[in-house]
């Protein structure tokens, strides 16, 4: 599995990162959370007080940022970023930054470099369509908006972050809308991606399903 690549795309809150992390662990390959990369740039732009109208400046910030991906999360210029990139403010900002072509160009290249020499499970919105068009397996993970909001609510509650359920549904709706309708690399299911609707599946069932799909692909690629 050393060069096996799995692309997992889908809307916000479909469970991509939890599933992708577990699948990577079971396959013994690297998990790459590309959403965290967009979030990290949003967070850095906030820190540096860069205005959102300054697309080139934000792209330059992305270019000069060093990402280290480890099992537990992402290190940005040597600093661990965890909860600070999961706030509502950073989520909304990341979604806006992700619609900027110049920023995407920089991050897509960094993601392709990461995947060039190792097996990866990479999750995001454009992995199967843009970042890893030749991935061994492409999965499009989805769930109903109510279920995605419910999961995000429980996740945030568990972390002690208070959120209003209705506001959460509205935020997810806005992000879906922006991710699906943006001009550059909108969220789309790749024609060769396999759709997995997780609304009525447990985490374990989703992981097992994807591992089973991997097994069918290994037979074809090795
Ligand atoms: O998956 P996430 O919620 O952590 O992603 C944060 C934002 O970044 C989200 O609005 C979608 C965007 N994104 C993207 O456009 N392309 C990716 N490959 C990953 C995330």
């Amino acid at each position: 599995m050393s060069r096996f690549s799995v692309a997992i795309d889908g809307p916000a809150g479909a469970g991509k990162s939890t599933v992708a992390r577990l699948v990577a662990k079971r396959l013994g390959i690297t998990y790459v959370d590309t959403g965290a990369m967009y979030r990290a740039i949003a967070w850095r732009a906030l820190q540096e007080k860069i205005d959102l109208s300054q697309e080139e400046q934000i792209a330059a910030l992305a270019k000069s940022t060093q990402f280290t991906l480890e099992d537990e999360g992402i290190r940005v210029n040597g600093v661990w970023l965890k909860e600070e990139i999961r706030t509502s403010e950073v989520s909304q900002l990341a979604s806006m930054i992700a619609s900027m072509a110049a920023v995407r160009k920089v991050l897509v290249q960094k993601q392709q470099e990461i995947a060039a020499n190792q097996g990866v499970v990479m999750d995001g919105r454009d992995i199967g369509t843009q970042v890893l068009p030749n991935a061994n397996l492409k999965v499009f993970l989805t769930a109903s908006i109510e279920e995605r909001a419910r999961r995000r609510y429980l996740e945030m509650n568990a972390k002690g972050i208070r959120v209003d359920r209705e506001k959460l549904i509205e935020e997810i709706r806005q992000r879906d809308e922006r991710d699906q309708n943006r001009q550059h690399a909108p969220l789309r299911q790749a024609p060769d991606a396999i759709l997995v609707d997780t609304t009525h599946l447990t985490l374990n069932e989703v992981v097992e399903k994807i591992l089973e799909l991997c097994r069918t692909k290994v037979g074809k690629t090795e």
Side-chain angles (χ1 to χ4, degrees):
M1 302 300 282
S2 62
R3 296 292 286 273
F4 196 82
S5 55
V6 182
I8 302 185
D9 290 300
K16 295 185 300 293
S17 50
T18 312
V19 167
R21 181 177 283 114
L22 289 171
V23 169
K25 198 167 194 162
R26 291 277 294 274
L27 297 176
I29 56 180
T30 305
Y31 164 55
V32 185
D33 177 355
T34 64
M37 296 170 76
Y38 287 92
R39 287 171 180 274
I41 299 308
W43 181 79
R44 286 204 67 203
L46 263 180
Q47 301 286 306
E48 311 255 328
K49 299 195 169 44
I50 301 176
D51 193 86
L52 273 191
S53 61
Q54 303 301 313
E55 183 167 338
E56 287 307 323
Q57 232 179 307
I58 298 175
L61 184 73
K63 203 164 196 162
S64 68
T65 301
Q66 263 209 330
F67 297 99
T68 320
L69 295 140
E70 293 174 27
D71 275 356
E72 308 90 275
I74 188 167
R75 235 192 292 196
V76 175
N77 293 343
V79 178
W80 280 108
L81 290 186
K82 291 202 161 175
E83 299 315 320
E84 56 271 61
I85 59 167
R86 305 283 159 197
T87 63
S88 291
E89 186 184 21
V90 172
S91 299
Q92 293 301 321
L93 205 59
S95 161
M96 289 176 204
I97 279 178
S99 68
M100 300 175 179
V103 177
R104 299 202 70 84
K105 194 166 165 232
V106 173
L107 291 187
V108 166
Q109 194 180 348
K110 285 186 189 267
Q111 291 151 12
Q112 288 172 335
E113 281 164 12
I114 293 169
N117 316 307
Q118 58 186 330
V120 291
V121 178
M122 196 176 270
D123 81 329
R125 304 295 190 285
D126 59 341
I127 310 305
T129 52
Q130 310 271 336
V131 182
L132 303 177
N134 299 319
N136 298 98
L137 172 69
K138 297 180 187 177
V139 173
F140 195 84
L141 212 61
T142 187
S144 69
I145 192 161
E146 292 77 15
E147 176 62 14
R148 289 189 281 131
R150 191 185 71 85
R151 290 178 193 166
R152 196 43 70 95
Y153 178 82
L154 292 177
E155 197 180 296
M156 298 190 93
N157 250 6
K159 290 177 186 161
I161 305 171
R162 285 181 164 273
V163 278
D164 177 78
R165 211 183 277 250
E166 288 308 311
K167 196 167 157 238
L168 207 54
I169 291 186
E170 188 45 38
E171 279 179 11
I172 291 183
R173 210 184 293 282
Q174 279 176 14
R175 281 215 285 153
D176 279 0
E177 164 91 17
R178 207 164 23 228
D179 294 346
Q180 283 161 9
N181 297 317
R182 69 184 175 216
Q183 198 183 346
H184 308 289
L187 172 65
R188 291 269 183 283
Q189 180 178 347
D192 51 348
I194 297 164
L195 179 74
V196 177
D197 184 339
T198 72
T199 307
H200 304 294
L201 298 179
T202 64
L203 176 59
N204 196 36
E205 284 169 336
V206 179
V207 170
E208 290 302 330
K209 194 173 186 117
I210 294 177
L211 287 171
E212 184 52 40
L213 291 170
C214 287
R215 278 177 215 118
T216 65
K217 297 290 177 177
V218 170
K220 286 185 193 150
T221 54
E222 285 186 351

